Amino acid sequence: MTDHSTIEMNVLRQIGWDHWDPVGIRQTDDPAWRTAAADEYDSYLLHAAGIILQSASQEAVAAYLDDITVINMGLGPVNGAIHGASVRTADAIAAYLRTRSNDARSSDTRDIR
């Protein structure tokens, strides 16, 4: 089982807004709609992080995000822009998770000393 308890949703949400954002929630001024869309993004981004933590390739994660964009959100078909955003998002999530993992290892090392 994957432990999501230490994943900071604000970090994942920012990654999603910066790199993926298929419906353009960054551009809306309606706080209610932005919150509802963010909640939907959260579930997708958390799942993407979970499959990375389970050793899925970043390309598999990008394909998952492509499917969400095209199938769940109906914004397809996949093209270079959609896939590029999915790849950048998968890369950013993986980088965040590596940093988080490195921080945990550093903390463990300090505790041992």
Side-chain angles (χ1 to χ4, degrees), residues 58 90-100:
Q58 286 166 238
D91 290 347
I93 292 171
Y96 161 65
L97 294 173
R98 279 191 302 273
T99 301
R100 184 180 136 271

Side-chain angles (χ1 to χ4, degrees), residues 31-109:
W33 189 85
R34 190 175 178 135
T35 298
D39 288 345
E40 182 178 357
Y41 279 22
D42 289 353
S43 65
Y44 301 139
L45 296 167
L46 189 58
H47 182 75
I51 59 179
I52 289 172
L53 289 171
Q54 294 173 0
S55 301
S57 70
Q58 286 166 238
E59 186 55 41
V61 175
Y64 162 74
L65 294 171
D66 286 346
D67 286 347
I68 294 302
T69 302
V70 172
I71 297 167
N72 294 40
M73 297 180 180
L75 301 174
V78 174
N79 59 33
I82 288 172
H83 186 65
S86 296
V87 168
R88 287 188 300 279
T89 304
D91 290 347
I93 292 171
Y96 161 65
L97 294 173
R98 279 191 302 273
T99 301
R100 184 180 136 271
S101 177
N102 290 340
D103 289 347
R105 278 195 290 268
S106 294
S107 176
D108 290 347
T109 301

